[in-house]
Amino acid sequence: MRRCLVAGNWKMHSTPAETESFLVRFLPLVRSSSAEVVLFPPFTSLDRAGRLLREAGVELGAQDVYFEPQGAFTGAVSPSMLAACGCHYVLVGHSERRHVFGDGDALVRRKLDAAIAGGLDPVLCVGETIAERRGGQTSLVLETQLDAGLRGHSPEAMARIVIAYEPVWAIGTGETATPEQAQEASAWIREWVRCHCGRAAETLRVLYGGSVKLDNARSLLALPDVDGALVGGASLDPEGFAALVAAAEA
Ligand code: PGA
């Protein structure tokens, strides 16, 4: 049994005060949710969110992490700093990190390893661009990203990793993968994990991300190999996101 995970990635939105206002409205609405709910606010809101989420039944995550534990790395944030704010999860390899900031597969792997070593559960984001999909390279791209991120982990580490399949062309564009495309890619990912990482495949959660909204959440989350959603824009409104969480449970 894989527990459904619905995550909100706020990207570069929300001050600490706005985060607090969101939580005051959102938390009562998801209190009895059977799905696991995770929020990924910006770094500057983590401490405030972590205090408010204590005992709230909603998990906290960070949008990125650096792999060094401390030192002269201006602008970087370490796993232990995130854990100290109350983070349980961290995104690694989000498409905006890969495509806007140039995070390559080797860096993503170092971040993922550091997250695990630092007590954070990583959400490894993978996905192809539209040119790669049109060029018939979707599985090659997924394979490269999965291989770099997942090879050689212990079963204990594998059990802590979540995968988010986020086709780059569907992120923030309003264009969602069809249920067939989302199922095909998620099943392909699970099969790859089955072949290369063994039993972890059965318990591995594969999320779909890319323009998930209230009106498409139900059909995407009903797919056999989709175990949750990573939601950007539609996670910014507390009532709207709570409704999406409720749809995920149905
Ligand atoms: P979107 O973003 O829902 O706004 O498309 C998803 C994501 O980037 O995780």
Side-chain angles (χ1 to χ4, degrees), residues 7-11 91 94-96 125 164 166-175 208-213 229-236:
N9 171 16
W10 290 358
K11 312 192 179 190
L91 301 179
H94 186 277
S95 104
E96 285 142 24
C125 304
E166 298 205 300
V168 180
W169 47 272
I171 296 177
T173 58
E175 194 180 330
Y208 169 79
S211 299
V212 175
K213 306 244 165 358
L230 182 54
V231 184
S235 70
L236 293 171

Side-chain angles (χ1 to χ4, degrees), residues 59-167:
E59 296 288 351
L60 184 66
Q63 298 173 16
D64 190 33
V65 65
Y66 195 57
F67 59 81
E68 293 284 359
Q70 60 185 42
F73 304 103
T74 301
V77 175
S78 73
S80 63
M81 291 170 178
L82 298 177
C85 289
C87 288
H88 179 129
Y89 289 99
V90 64
L91 301 179
V92 292
H94 186 277
S95 104
E96 285 142 24
R97 292 299 322 173
R98 292 179 187 269
H99 296 282
V100 180
F101 298 97
D103 288 15
D105 282 325
L107 177 58
V108 171
R109 175 60 184 257
R110 293 188 80 174
K111 291 180 172 186
L112 186 145
D113 287 346
I116 291 178
L120 301 168
D121 289 357
V123 179
L124 172 65
C125 304
V126 298
E128 80 288 358
T129 64
I130 193 63
E132 290 161 346
R133 175 165 280 267
R134 290 200 182 119
Q137 292 180 301
T138 299
S139 40
L140 180 66
V141 171
L142 295 180
E143 157 129 60
T144 306
Q145 294 174 343
L146 292 172
D147 192 57
L150 298 185
R151 278 259 191 203
H153 290 294
S154 67
E156 294 72 33
M158 272 310 294
R160 291 174 44 200
I161 298 172
V162 175
I163 304 288
Y165 169 62
E166 298 205 300

Side-chain angles (χ1 to χ4, degrees), residues 195-211:
C195 292
H196 298 91
C197 314
R199 273 182 312 167
E202 304 317 318
T203 48
L204 175 79
R205 288 186 291 183
V206 181
L207 315 182
Y208 169 79
S211 299

